[in-house]
Coordinates of all heavy atoms in Angstrom, one line a residue:
M16 N 18.5 49.7 20.2 CA 19.2 48.7 19.3 C 18.2 48.3 18.2 O 17.1 48.0 18.5 CB 19.5 47.5 20.2 CG 20.1 46.3 19.5 SD 20.5 44.9 20.5 CE 21.6 45.4 21.7
D17 N 18.7 48.3 17.0 CA 17.7 48.0 15.9 C 17.7 46.5 15.7 O 18.5 45.7 16.4 CB 18.1 48.7 14.6 CG 19.4 48.3 14.0 OD1 20.0 47.2 14.4 OD2 19.9 49.0 13.2
S18 N 16.9 46.0 14.9 CA 16.8 44.6 14.7 C 18.0 43.9 14.1 O 18.3 42.7 14.5 CB 15.6 44.2 13.8 OG 15.8 44.6 12.5
K19 N 18.7 44.6 13.3 CA 20.0 44.0 12.7 C 21.0 43.8 13.9 O 21.7 42.7 13.9 CB 20.6 44.8 11.7 CG 19.8 44.7 10.4 CD 20.6 45.4 9.2 CE 19.8 45.2 8.0 NZ 20.6 45.2 6.8
E20 N 21.2 44.7 14.7 CA 22.0 44.6 15.8 C 21.6 43.5 16.8 O 22.5 42.8 17.3 CB 22.2 45.9 16.6 CG 22.9 47.1 16.0 CD 22.7 48.4 16.6 OE1 21.7 48.6 17.4 OE2 23.7 49.2 16.5
K21 N 20.3 43.4 17.0 CA 19.8 42.4 17.9 C 20.1 41.0 17.2 O 20.5 40.1 18.0 CB 18.3 42.6 18.1 CG 17.7 41.5 19.1 CD 16.2 41.8 19.3 CE 15.6 40.9 20.3 NZ 14.2 41.1 20.5
E22 N 19.8 40.8 16.0 CA 20.1 39.6 15.3 C 21.6 39.2 15.4 O 22.0 38.0 15.6 CB 19.6 39.5 13.9 CG 18.2 39.3 13.8 CD 17.7 39.0 12.4 OE1 18.5 39.0 11.5 OE2 16.4 38.9 12.1
A23 N 22.5 40.3 15.2 CA 23.9 40.0 15.3 C 24.3 39.6 16.7 O 25.2 38.7 16.9 CB 24.6 41.3 14.9
G24 N 23.7 40.1 17.7 CA 23.9 39.7 19.1 C 23.5 38.3 19.3 O 24.2 37.5 20.0
I25 N 22.3 38.0 18.8 CA 21.8 36.6 19.0 C 22.7 35.6 18.3 O 23.1 34.5 18.8 CB 20.4 36.5 18.5 CG1 19.4 37.2 19.4 CG2 20.0 35.0 18.3 CD1 18.0 37.5 18.8
L26 N 23.2 35.9 17.0 CA 24.1 35.0 16.3 C 25.4 34.9 17.0 O 26.0 33.8 17.1 CB 24.3 35.6 14.9 CG 23.1 35.4 13.9 CD1 23.2 36.3 12.7 CD2 22.8 34.0 13.6
Q27 N 25.9 35.9 17.6 CA 27.2 35.9 18.3 C 27.0 35.0 19.6 O 27.9 34.2 19.8 CB 27.6 37.3 18.7 CG 28.9 37.3 19.5 CD 30.1 36.8 18.7 OE1 30.2 37.1 17.5 NE2 31.0 36.1 19.3
A28 N 25.9 35.1 20.3 CA 25.7 34.3 21.5 C 25.5 32.8 21.0 O 26.1 31.9 21.7 CB 24.4 34.8 22.3
L29 N 24.8 32.6 20.0 CA 24.7 31.2 19.5 C 26.1 30.6 19.1 O 26.3 29.4 19.4 CB 23.7 31.1 18.3 CG 22.3 31.4 18.7 CD1 21.5 31.6 17.3 CD2 21.7 30.3 19.5
A30 N 26.8 31.4 18.4 CA 28.3 30.9 18.0 C 29.1 30.6 19.2 O 29.8 29.6 19.2 CB 28.8 32.0 17.1
E31 N 29.0 31.5 20.2 CA 29.8 31.2 21.4 C 29.3 30.0 22.1 O 30.2 29.2 22.6 CB 29.7 32.4 22.4 CG 30.6 33.6 21.8 CD 30.3 34.8 22.6 OE1 29.7 34.9 23.7 OE2 30.9 35.9 22.2
R32 N 28.0 29.8 22.2 CA 27.5 28.5 22.8 C 27.9 27.3 22.1 O 28.2 26.3 22.7 CB 26.0 28.7 23.1 CG 25.4 27.3 23.8 CD 24.0 27.5 24.1 NE 23.2 27.7 22.9 CZ 21.8 27.8 23.0 NH1 21.2 27.8 24.2 NH2 21.2 28.0 21.9
M33 N 27.7 27.5 20.8 CA 28.2 26.3 20.0 C 29.6 25.9 20.1 O 29.9 24.8 20.3 CB 27.9 26.6 18.5 CG 28.0 25.5 17.5 SD 29.6 25.3 16.8 CE 30.0 26.9 16.0
E34 N 30.5 26.9 20.1 CA 31.9 26.7 20.2 C 32.3 26.1 21.6 O 33.1 25.2 21.8 CB 32.7 28.0 19.9 CG 34.1 27.8 20.0 CD 34.9 29.1 19.7 OE1 34.3 30.2 19.6 OE2 36.2 29.0 19.5
S35 N 31.7 26.7 22.7 CA 32.1 26.4 24.0 C 31.4 25.2 24.6 O 32.0 24.4 25.5 CB 32.0 27.6 25.0 OG 30.5 27.9 25.2
Q36 N 30.2 24.8 24.2 CA 29.4 23.9 24.7 C 29.0 22.8 23.8 O 29.3 21.5 24.0 CB 28.1 24.5 25.4 CG 28.5 25.4 26.5 CD 27.2 26.1 27.0 OE1 26.1 25.7 26.8 NE2 27.4 27.2 27.7
R37 N 28.2 23.2 22.8 CA 27.6 22.2 21.9 C 28.5 21.4 21.1 O 28.4 20.1 21.0 CB 26.5 22.9 21.1 CG 25.4 23.5 21.9 CD 24.1 23.1 21.5 NE 23.0 23.4 22.5 CZ 21.9 23.9 22.2 NH1 21.7 24.3 20.9 NH2 21.0 24.1 23.1
L38 N 29.4 22.1 20.4 CA 30.4 21.3 19.6 C 31.2 20.3 20.3 O 31.4 19.2 19.9 CB 31.2 22.3 18.7 CG 32.0 21.6 17.6 CD1 31.2 20.7 16.7 CD2 32.8 22.6 16.8
P39 N 31.9 20.8 21.5 CA 32.7 19.8 22.2 C 31.8 18.6 22.7 O 32.4 17.5 22.6 CB 33.2 20.6 23.3 CG 33.2 22.0 22.9 CD 31.9 22.1 22.0
R40 N 30.7 18.9 23.1 CA 29.8 17.7 23.6 C 29.4 16.9 22.4 O 29.5 15.6 22.6 CB 28.6 18.2 24.2 CG 27.7 17.0 24.9 CD 26.8 17.5 25.9 NE 26.1 16.4 26.5 CZ 25.1 16.5 27.1 NH1 24.7 17.7 27.6 NH2 24.4 15.4 27.7
A41 N 29.1 17.4 21.3 CA 28.7 16.6 20.1 C 29.8 15.8 19.6 O 29.7 14.6 19.3 CB 28.2 17.5 19.0
L42 N 31.1 16.3 19.6 CA 32.2 15.6 19.1 C 32.6 14.5 20.1 O 33.0 13.4 19.7 CB 33.5 16.6 18.9 CG 33.3 17.5 17.8 CD1 34.4 18.5 17.8 CD2 33.2 16.8 16.5
A43 N 32.4 14.7 21.4 CA 32.7 13.7 22.4 C 31.6 12.5 22.2 O 32.0 11.3 22.3 CB 32.6 14.2 23.8
M44 N 30.4 12.9 22.0 CA 29.4 11.9 21.7 C 29.7 11.1 20.5 O 29.5 9.9 20.4 CB 28.0 12.5 21.5 CG 27.5 13.1 22.8 SD 25.9 14.1 22.7 CE 24.8 13.0 21.7
K45 N 30.2 11.8 19.3 CA 30.5 11.2 18.1 C 31.6 10.1 18.3 O 31.6 9.1 17.8 CB 30.9 12.1 17.1 CG 31.5 11.7 15.8 CD 30.3 11.5 14.7 CE 30.9 11.2 13.4 NZ 31.4 10.0 13.1
Q46 N 32.7 10.6 19.1 CA 33.8 9.7 19.4 C 33.2 8.4 20.1 O 33.6 7.2 19.8 CB 34.7 10.3 20.2 CG 36.0 9.5 20.5 CD 36.7 9.0 19.3 OE1 37.1 9.9 18.5 NE2 37.0 7.8 19.1
R47 N 32.3 8.5 21.1 CA 31.8 7.4 21.8 C 31.0 6.5 21.0 O 31.2 5.2 21.0 CB 30.9 7.9 23.0 CG 31.6 8.6 24.1 CD 30.9 8.7 25.5 NE 29.5 8.5 25.4 CZ 28.6 9.5 25.5 NH1 29.1 10.8 25.5 NH2 27.3 9.3 25.4
V48 N 30.1 7.0 20.1 CA 29.3 6.1 19.3 C 30.2 5.5 18.2 O 29.9 4.4 17.8 CB 28.1 6.8 18.7 CG1 27.2 7.2 19.8 CG2 28.4 7.9 17.7
D49 N 31.3 6.2 17.7 CA 32.2 5.6 16.8 C 32.9 4.5 17.4 O 33.3 3.5 16.8 CB 33.1 6.6 16.2 CG 32.5 7.5 15.2 OD1 31.4 7.2 14.7 OD2 33.2 8.6 14.9
D50 N 33.0 4.5 18.8 CA 33.8 3.4 19.5 C 32.8 2.3 19.9 O 33.2 1.4 20.7 CB 34.4 4.0 20.8 CG 35.6 4.9 20.5 OD1 36.2 4.7 19.4 OD2 36.0 5.7 21.4
G51 N 31.5 2.5 19.4 CA 30.5 1.3 19.7 C 29.6 1.5 20.8 O 28.8 0.6 21.1
E52 N 29.7 2.7 21.5 CA 28.8 2.9 22.6 C 27.5 3.4 22.1 O 27.3 3.8 21.0 CB 29.4 4.0 23.5 CG 30.7 3.5 24.3 CD 31.2 4.6 25.1 OE1 30.4 5.3 25.9 OE2 32.5 4.7 25.3
T53 N 26.5 3.4 23.0 CA 25.2 3.9 22.7 C 25.0 5.3 23.5 O 25.8 5.6 24.3 CB 24.0 2.9 23.2 OG1 24.2 2.7 24.6 CG2 24.1 1.6 22.4
L54 N 23.9 6.0 23.2 CA 23.6 7.2 23.9 C 22.9 7.0 25.2 O 22.0 6.0 25.3 CB 22.7 8.1 23.0 CG 23.3 8.5 21.6 CD1 22.3 9.3 20.9 CD2 24.6 9.3 21.8
N55 N 23.2 7.8 26.2 CA 22.5 7.6 27.4 C 21.4 8.7 27.5 O 21.2 9.5 26.5 CB 23.5 7.8 28.7 CG 24.2 9.2 28.7 OD1 23.6 10.2 28.4 ND2 25.5 9.2 29.0
E56 N 20.7 8.6 28.6 CA 19.6 9.5 28.6 C 19.8 11.0 28.6 O 19.2 11.8 28.0 CB 18.8 9.3 30.0 CG 17.3 9.6 30.0 CD 16.4 9.1 28.9 OE1 16.6 7.9 28.4 OE2 15.8 9.9 28.3
L57 N 21.0 11.5 29.2 CA 21.5 12.7 29.1 C 21.8 13.2 27.7 O 21.6 14.3 27.2 CB 22.7 13.0 30.0 CG 22.4 13.0 31.5 CD1 23.7 13.2 32.3 CD2 21.5 14.1 31.9
D58 N 22.4 12.3 26.9 CA 22.7 12.5 25.5 C 21.5 12.8 24.7 O 21.4 13.7 23.9 CB 23.6 11.3 24.9 CG 24.9 11.1 25.4 OD1 25.6 12.1 26.0 OD2 25.3 9.9 25.5
I59 N 20.5 11.9 24.9 CA 19.2 12.0 24.2 C 18.6 13.4 24.5 O 18.1 14.1 23.6 CB 18.4 10.8 24.5 CG1 19.0 9.5 23.9 CG2 17.0 11.0 23.9 CD1 18.4 8.3 24.4
Q60 N 18.6 13.7 25.8 CA 18.0 15.0 26.3 C 18.7 16.2 25.5 O 18.1 17.2 25.1 CB 18.1 15.2 27.7 CG 17.3 16.4 28.2 CD 15.9 16.5 27.8 OE1 15.2 15.4 27.9 NE2 15.4 17.6 27.5
F61 N 20.1 16.1 25.5 CA 20.9 17.1 24.8 C 20.5 17.2 23.3 O 20.3 18.3 22.9 CB 22.4 16.8 24.9 CG 23.3 17.5 24.1 CD1 23.6 18.9 24.5 CD2 23.9 17.1 22.9 CE1 24.5 19.6 23.7 CE2 24.7 17.8 22.2 CZ 24.9 19.1 22.4
L62 N 20.4 16.1 22.7 CA 20.0 16.1 21.3 C 18.6 16.7 21.0 O 18.3 17.4 20.1 CB 20.1 14.7 20.6 CG 21.5 14.1 20.5 CD1 21.5 12.8 20.1 CD2 22.3 15.0 19.5
K63 N 17.6 16.4 22.0 CA 16.3 16.9 21.8 C 16.4 18.5 22.0 O 15.7 19.2 21.3 CB 15.4 16.4 22.9 CG 14.9 15.0 22.6 CD 14.1 14.4 23.7 CE 13.7 13.0 23.5 NZ 12.8 12.5 24.6
E64 N 17.2 19.0 22.9 CA 17.3 20.4 23.2 C 17.9 21.1 22.0 O 17.4 22.1 21.5 CB 18.2 20.7 24.4 CG 18.4 22.1 24.7 CD 19.4 22.1 25.9 OE1 19.2 21.5 26.9 OE2 20.3 23.1 25.8
V65 N 18.9 20.4 21.3 CA 19.6 20.9 20.2 C 18.6 21.1 19.0 O 18.5 22.1 18.3 CB 20.8 20.1 19.8 CG1 21.2 20.5 18.3 CG2 21.9 20.3 20.7
L66 N 17.7 20.0 18.9 CA 16.8 20.0 17.7 C 15.7 21.1 18.0 O 15.3 21.8 17.1 CB 16.1 18.7 17.7 CG 15.0 18.5 16.7 CD1 15.6 18.8 15.3 CD2 14.4 17.1 16.7
D67 N 15.3 21.2 19.2 CA 14.2 22.3 19.5 C 14.9 23.7 19.2 O 14.3 24.5 18.6 CB 13.8 22.2 21.0 CG 12.9 21.0 21.3 OD1 12.5 20.3 20.3 OD2 12.8 20.8 22.5
D68 N 16.1 23.9 19.6 CA 16.8 25.2 19.4 C 16.9 25.4 17.9 O 16.7 26.5 17.4 CB 18.2 25.2 20.0 CG 18.0 25.4 21.6 OD1 16.9 25.7 22.1 OD2 19.0 25.3 22.3
A69 N 17.3 24.4 17.2 CA 17.5 24.5 15.8 C 16.2 24.9 15.1 O 16.2 25.7 14.1 CB 18.0 23.2 15.1
Q70 N 15.1 24.3 15.5 CA 13.8 24.7 14.9 C 13.5 26.1 15.1 O 12.9 26.9 14.3 CB 12.7 23.8 15.4 CG 12.8 22.4 14.8 CD 11.8 21.5 15.4 OE1 11.3 21.6 16.5 NE2 11.5 20.4 14.6
R71 N 13.8 26.6 16.4 CA 13.5 28.0 16.7 C 14.4 29.0 16.0 O 13.9 30.1 15.7 CB 13.6 28.2 18.2 CG 12.5 27.8 19.1 CD 12.5 28.4 20.5 NE 13.7 27.9 21.2 CZ 13.8 26.7 21.9 NH1 12.8 25.9 21.9 NH2 15.0 26.4 22.5
I72 N 15.6 28.6 15.8 CA 16.5 29.6 15.0 C 16.5 29.5 13.6 O 17.2 30.3 12.9 CB 17.9 29.6 15.7 CG1 18.6 28.3 15.2 CG2 17.9 29.9 17.2 CD1 20.2 28.2 15.5
M73 N 15.9 28.5 13.0 CA 15.9 28.3 11.6 C 15.6 29.6 10.8 O 16.2 29.9 9.8 CB 15.0 27.1 11.1 CG 15.3 26.7 9.7 SD 17.0 26.3 9.3 CE 17.3 25.0 10.4
P74 N 14.5 30.4 11.2 CA 14.2 31.6 10.5 C 15.4 32.6 10.5 O 15.6 33.4 9.5 CB 13.0 32.2 11.2 CG 12.3 31.0 11.8 CD 13.4 30.1 12.2
L75 N 16.1 32.7 11.6 CA 17.2 33.5 11.7 C 18.4 33.1 10.7 O 19.0 33.9 10.1 CB 17.7 33.5 13.1 CG 19.0 34.5 13.5 CD1 18.6 35.9 13.2 CD2 19.3 34.3 14.9
V76 N 18.6 31.9 10.7 CA 19.7 31.3 9.8 C 19.3 31.5 8.4 O 20.1 31.9 7.5 CB 19.9 29.8 10.1 CG1 20.9 29.1 9.1 CG2 20.5 29.6 11.5
E77 N 18.1 31.3 8.1 CA 17.5 31.6 6.7 C 17.8 33.0 6.2 O 18.0 33.3 5.1 CB 16.1 31.2 6.5 CG 15.9 29.7 6.6 CD 14.3 29.3 6.6 OE1 13.4 30.2 6.7 OE2 14.1 28.1 6.7
R78 N 17.6 33.9 7.2 CA 17.9 35.4 6.8 C 19.4 35.7 6.7 O 19.9 36.8 6.3 CB 17.3 36.3 7.9 CG 15.8 36.3 7.7 CD 15.2 37.5 8.6 NE 15.5 37.3 10.0 CZ 14.8 36.7 11.0 NH1 13.7 35.9 10.6 NH2 15.1 36.7 12.2
H79 N 20.3 34.8 7.2 CA 21.7 35.0 7.2 C 22.4 33.8 6.5 O 22.9 32.9 7.1 CB 22.3 35.2 8.6 CG 21.7 36.4 9.3 ND1 22.4 37.6 9.2 CD2 20.6 36.6 10.0 CE1 21.7 38.5 9.9 NE2 20.7 37.9 10.4
P80 N 22.5 33.9 5.2 CA 23.0 32.8 4.4 C 24.5 32.5 4.8 O 24.9 31.3 4.6 CB 23.0 33.3 3.0 CG 22.2 34.5 3.0 CD 22.1 35.0 4.4
E81 N 25.2 33.4 5.4 CA 26.6 33.1 5.8 C 26.6 32.1 6.9 O 27.7 31.5 7.1 CB 27.3 34.4 6.2 CG 26.8 35.0 7.6 CD 25.6 36.0 7.3 OE1 25.0 36.0 6.3 OE2 25.3 36.8 8.2
W82 N 25.6 31.8 7.5 CA 25.6 30.8 8.6 C 24.9 29.5 8.2 O 25.0 28.5 8.9 CB 24.6 31.3 9.8 CG 25.3 32.5 10.6 CD1 25.2 33.8 10.2 CD2 26.2 32.3 11.6 NE1 26.0 34.5 11.1 CE2 26.6 33.6 12.0 CE3 26.8 31.2 12.3 CZ2 27.5 33.9 12.9 CZ3 27.6 31.6 13.4 CH2 28.0 32.8 13.6
Q83 N 24.5 29.4 7.0 CA 23.8 28.2 6.6 C 24.7 27.0 6.4 O 24.4 25.9 6.7 CB 23.0 28.4 5.2 CG 21.9 29.4 5.5 CD 21.1 29.8 4.2 OE1 21.4 29.4 3.1 NE2 20.1 30.6 4.4
N84 N 25.9 27.1 5.9 CA 26.8 26.0 5.8 C 27.2 25.5 7.1 O 27.3 24.2 7.3 CB 28.1 26.4 5.0 CG 27.9 26.5 3.5 OD1 27.0 26.0 3.1 ND2 28.8 27.3 2.9
L85 N 27.4 26.3 8.1 CA 27.7 25.8 9.5 C 26.5 25.0 10.0 O 26.7 23.9 10.6 CB 28.1 27.0 10.3 CG 28.3 26.7 11.8 CD1 29.5 25.7 12.0 CD2 28.5 27.9 12.7
A86 N 25.3 25.6 9.9 CA 24.1 25.0 10.4 C 23.9 23.6 9.7 O 23.7 22.6 10.4 CB 22.9 25.8 10.1
A87 N 24.2 23.5 8.4 CA 24.1 22.3 7.8 C 25.1 21.2 8.2 O 24.7 20.1 8.4 CB 24.2 22.5 6.2
S88 N 26.3 21.7 8.5 CA 27.4 20.8 9.0 C 27.0 20.3 10.4 O 27.3 19.1 10.6 CB 28.7 21.6 9.0 OG 29.1 21.9 7.8
L89 N 26.4 21.1 11.2 CA 26.1 20.7 12.5 C 24.8 19.7 12.5 O 24.9 18.7 13.2 CB 25.6 21.9 13.4 CG 26.9 22.8 13.9 CD1 26.3 24.0 14.4 CD2 27.8 22.1 14.7
I90 N 23.9 20.0 11.7 CA 22.8 19.0 11.3 C 23.3 17.7 10.9 O 23.0 16.6 11.5 CB 21.7 19.6 10.4 CG1 21.1 20.8 11.1 CG2 20.8 18.6 10.0 CD1 20.2 21.6 10.1
N91 N 24.4 17.7 10.0 CA 24.9 16.5 9.6 C 25.7 15.7 10.7 O 25.5 14.5 10.8 CB 25.9 16.7 8.4 CG 26.4 15.5 7.8 OD1 25.6 14.7 7.3 ND2 27.8 15.4 7.7
L92 N 26.4 16.4 11.5 CA 27.1 15.8 12.6 C 26.1 15.2 13.5 O 26.2 14.0 13.9 CB 27.9 16.9 13.4 CG 28.5 16.4 14.7 CD1 29.5 15.4 14.4 CD2 29.2 17.6 15.4
Y93 N 25.0 15.8 13.9 CA 23.9 15.2 14.8 C 23.3 14.0 14.1 O 23.1 13.0 14.8 CB 22.9 16.2 15.2 CG 23.6 17.3 16.0 CD1 23.4 18.7 15.7 CD2 24.3 17.1 17.3 CE1 24.0 19.7 16.5 CE2 24.8 18.1 18.0 CZ 24.7 19.4 17.7 OH 25.2 20.3 18.5
Q94 N 23.2 14.0 12.7 CA 22.6 12.9 12.1 C 23.5 11.8 12.2 O 23.1 10.6 12.4 CB 22.2 13.2 10.7 CG 21.6 12.1 9.9 CD 21.3 12.4 8.5 OE1 21.7 13.5 8.0 NE2 20.6 11.5 7.8
E95 N 24.7 11.9 12.0 CA 25.8 10.9 12.1 C 25.8 10.3 13.4 O 25.9 9.0 13.6 CB 27.2 11.4 11.7 CG 27.4 11.8 10.3 CD 28.7 12.4 10.0 OE1 29.7 12.3 10.9 OE2 28.9 13.0 9.0
I96 N 25.7 11.1 14.5 CA 25.7 10.6 15.8 C 24.5 9.7 16.1 O 24.7 8.6 16.6 CB 25.7 11.8 16.8 CG1 27.1 12.5 16.8 CG2 25.4 11.3 18.2 CD1 27.0 13.8 17.5
T97 N 23.3 10.2 15.7 CA 22.1 9.4 15.9 C 22.0 8.1 15.2 O 21.6 7.0 15.6 CB 20.9 10.2 15.8 OG1 20.8 10.8 14.5 CG2 20.8 11.3 16.8
T98 N 22.5 8.2 13.9 CA 22.5 6.9 13.0 C 23.4 6.0 13.6 O 23.1 4.8 13.7 CB 23.0 7.4 11.6 OG1 22.0 8.3 11.1 CG2 23.0 6.1 10.7
K99 N 24.7 6.3 14.0 CA 25.6 5.4 14.5 C 25.1 4.9 15.9 O 25.4 3.6 16.2 CB 27.1 6.0 14.7 CG 28.1 5.1 15.1 CD 28.3 4.0 14.1 CE 29.5 3.1 14.5 NZ 29.6 2.0 13.7
A100 N 24.6 5.7 16.7 CA 24.0 5.3 18.0 C 23.0 4.2 17.8 O 22.9 3.2 18.6 CB 23.6 6.5 18.8
L101 N 22.1 4.4 16.9 CA 21.0 3.5 16.6 C 21.6 2.1 16.1 O 21.2 1.0 16.5 CB 20.0 4.0 15.6 CG 18.8 3.1 15.3 CD1 18.0 2.9 16.6 CD2 18.0 3.8 14.2
E102 N 22.6 2.2 15.3 CA 23.3 1.0 14.8 C 23.9 0.2 16.0 O 23.8 -1.0 16.1 CB 24.4 1.3 13.9 CG 24.0 1.7 12.4 CD 25.2 2.1 11.6 OE1 26.4 1.8 11.9 OE2 24.9 2.7 10.6
N103 N 24.6 0.9 16.9 CA 25.2 0.4 18.1 C 24.1 -0.2 19.0 O 24.3 -1.4 19.5 CB 26.1 1.4 18.9 CG 27.1 2.0 18.0 OD1 27.6 1.3 17.1 ND2 27.7 3.0 18.5
E104 N 23.1 0.4 19.1 CA 21.9 0.0 19.9 C 21.4 -1.4 19.5 O 21.1 -2.3 20.2 CB 20.8 1.1 20.0 CG 19.7 0.6 20.9 CD 20.0 0.9 22.4 OE1 20.9 1.8 22.7 OE2 19.4 0.2 23.3
N105 N 21.3 -1.5 18.1 CA 20.8 -2.7 17.5 C 21.7 -3.9 17.6 O 21.4 -5.0 17.5 CB 20.4 -2.5 16.0 CG 19.2 -1.6 15.9 OD1 18.3 -1.7 16.7 ND2 19.1 -0.9 14.8
Y106 N 23.0 -3.6 17.9 CA 24.0 -4.6 17.9 C 24.4 -5.0 19.3 O 25.3 -5.8 19.6 CB 25.3 -4.2 17.2 CG 25.1 -4.2 15.6 CD1 25.2 -3.1 15.0 CD2 24.8 -5.5 15.1 CE1 25.0 -3.1 13.6 CE2 24.7 -5.5 13.7 CZ 24.7 -4.4 13.0 OH 24.5 -4.3 11.6
Q107 N 23.7 -4.3 20.4 CA 24.0 -4.8 21.7 C 23.5 -6.2 22.1 O 22.5 -6.6 21.4 CB 23.2 -3.8 22.6 CG 23.7 -2.3 22.6 CD 25.0 -2.2 23.1 OE1 25.4 -2.6 24.2 NE2 25.9 -1.5 22.3
P108 N 24.2 -6.9 22.9 CA 23.8 -8.2 23.3 C 22.3 -8.2 23.7 O 21.8 -7.3 24.4 CB 24.7 -8.5 24.5 CG 25.8 -7.6 24.3 CD 25.3 -6.4 23.7
G109 N 21.6 -9.2 23.2 CA 20.2 -9.4 23.6 C 19.2 -8.6 22.6 O 18.1 -8.6 22.7
K110 N 19.9 -7.8 21.6 CA 19.1 -7.0 20.6 C 19.1 -7.7 19.3 O 20.1 -8.4 19.0 CB 19.6 -5.6 20.6 CG 19.5 -4.9 21.9 CD 18.3 -4.0 21.9 CE 18.4 -3.3 23.3 NZ 17.3 -2.3 23.3
G111 N 18.2 -7.4 18.5 CA 18.2 -7.8 17.1 C 19.2 -8.8 16.7 O 19.7 -9.3 15.9

């Protein structure tokens, strides 16, 4: 297997994981924070894992411009989640 085939396989696996696991969980988190909830410890761990993975695969995404819009959209989604969660955390009773 050459490097292009290997990269294609990695991208396919990442796309499948995103579609079946990461995106549904992120959208559920987005709905919860939009409803005024905060993130729990499992949510925070999930976001840390996503960030770590994003940093590891960034060179691969840079070599494949066709994936860059999707990657940017996902980064934006995670930013929206964390920003709204922080706002919700600051508005909890007994806070700020």
